Amino acid sequence: MIFKSHPSPLRPATERRIAPENHAPARVLLIGLDGTRPDAIVEAHTPHLDHVMQNGAFTLHASTQCDARTKSGPGWSTILTGVNPAKHRVAANQDYAQSQLRTYPTVLWRAKHTGKLKTAMSVHWDDLANHIIEPDAIDARTVGNDDVVTTAAETYVRDGDFSLIFVHLEDIDSAGHDEGFTPKTPAYRAAIETTDARIGRILAALSQRPTRATEHWTVIITTDHGGTRFGHGARIAACRRIFVFAMGDSVIPGELQRPVNQADITPTILDLLGVHDARVTDGVIL
Ligand SMILES: [Zn+2]
């Protein structure tokens, strides 16, 4: 399904190539919520996620990668590289011996290696920092629990000069493993609601940027997989079905009608940032 939709709902209305000097610098904030089922977001009280959904482009029917089990390693690797596990070869967690991530570098690495764009990450899951995201892809980094991640993300978003910021929050997935990955599980819904408040803090920090009015921002929020019972990994809808929300200065609000896959995130971010990269992708620009 390699095609491009025109006009793109996430693409700036005017082509930057034509008159780049007339455009504010494009910046992207990518927030990853580990193990978050779309139907549980609907069930939980999530004013900030609802705000992004209602003011942005959204789908509650996107798909994970389909080559590998629905684990975080293959999921985040596909989100961050734009290729499926058949190419990046991360088929499980804690198993990076066969990884081809240097052949298919992350969107952070590609943005930074333009030589013009700065990147930051604030992540909870160690594998992201130690195995998936390249050490030389990042200008500023924080690794810690969700509280630490949120506080650092606020600083990066409010005070930094980063074109691409990746934030990863883990507590929803942990609640799913402990108490169950279903919309009816109180602890799972509670973790989603706590995380929603953290998203609210990060979005508030973005609105507090002194230069916000002269910049062009897109916020994308997604997950690596869903879950069922006390885990994930199976190739079933409860694990495969994910959400993608995107809100920004050029995003056309409304439900994304065509099939969306997590491999679409990286080509979309590269397009928003104006990074022209000829590397192969399994995704399409949203
Ligand atoms: Zn998990």
Side-chain angles (χ1 to χ4, degrees):
M1 61 173 209
I2 302 297
F3 64 91
K4 286 186 181 182
S5 61
H6 292 281
S8 164
L10 302 195
R11 195 171 305 162
T14 311
E15 288 286 339
R16 281 186 299 275
R17 275 184 293 274
I18 296 170
E21 68 277 14
N22 292 336
H23 290 272
R27 297 175 193 262
V28 175
L29 167 62
L30 173 62
I31 303 177
L33 312 181
D34 211 289
T36 307
R37 281 177 57 150
D39 54 356
I41 292 176
V42 172
E43 200 76 24
H45 177 64
T46 53
H48 301 292
L49 283 165
D50 293 353
H51 174 80
V52 173
M53 198 171 140
Q54 285 157 10
N55 292 279
F58 71 94
T59 176
L60 298 169
H61 300 276
S63 176
T64 64
Q65 51 74 27
C66 292
D67 292 352
R69 287 164 56 75
T70 48
K71 294 288 189 180
S72 288
W76 290 120
S77 296
T78 291
I79 290 167
L80 292 170
T81 65
V83 297
N84 285 320
K87 293 191 178 75
H88 63 58
R89 301 274 198 94
V90 178
N93 299 346
Q94 287 90 41
D95 180 12
Y96 299 94
Q98 304 297 318
S99 158
Q100 297 296 309
L101 291 170
R102 276 288 169 189
T103 306
Y104 304 98
T106 68
V107 64
L108 293 147
W109 189 96
R110 297 189 211 183
K112 180 168 167 59
H113 282 253
T114 61
K116 299 178 210 146
L117 306 179
K118 290 188 177 166
T119 62
M121 73 172 186
S122 186
V123 302
H124 188 149
W125 192 39
D126 291 345
D127 282 22
L128 283 164
N130 296 339
H131 297 289
I132 295 174
I133 297 170
E134 308 86 343
D136 59 342
I138 300 294
D139 292 294
R141 57 181 269 152
T142 296
V143 183
N145 65 30
D146 278 15
D147 284 329
V148 171
V149 163
T150 302
T151 301
E154 287 178 289
T155 303
Y156 294 155
V157 165
R158 186 181 53 235
D159 305 322
D161 183 27
F162 305 108
S163 295
L164 177 56
I165 300 170
F166 174 53
V167 179
H168 168 266
L169 296 164
E170 172 93 3
D171 287 359
I172 298 170
D173 186 72
S174 301
H177 287 290
D178 290 345
E179 305 284 341
F181 282 86
T182 81
K184 301 294 180 200
T185 305
Y188 188 61
R189 283 208 310 272
I192 291 173
E193 291 170 1
T194 301
T195 300
D196 184 71
R198 292 187 170 120
I199 292 168
R201 285 170 51 193
I202 297 167
L203 295 180
L206 178 57
S207 68
Q208 290 160 8
R209 271 181 79 77
T211 49
R212 175 67 187 88
T214 60
E215 295 170 342
H216 179 288
W217 279 87
T218 304
V219 180
I220 299 174
I221 308 179
T222 191
T223 184
D224 52 342
H225 53 70
T228 185
R229 298 172 62 84
F230 299 98
H232 50 85
R235 301 164 193 253
I236 59 174
C239 297
R240 284 251 182 264
R241 195 177 137 201
I242 60 169
F243 67 94
V244 175
F245 300 161
M247 178 179 75
D249 297 331
S250 64
V251 175
I252 300 168
E255 187 167 11
L256 293 161
Q257 296 296 334
R258 64 167 188 76
V260 174
N261 187 281
Q262 61 190 182
D264 300 341
I265 302 290
T266 278
T268 299
I269 292 173
L270 293 172
D271 185 65
L272 287 163
L273 294 177
V275 176
H276 302 291
D277 188 325
R279 285 184 183 82
V280 66
T281 176
D282 291 318
V284 298
I285 297 166
L286 296 174

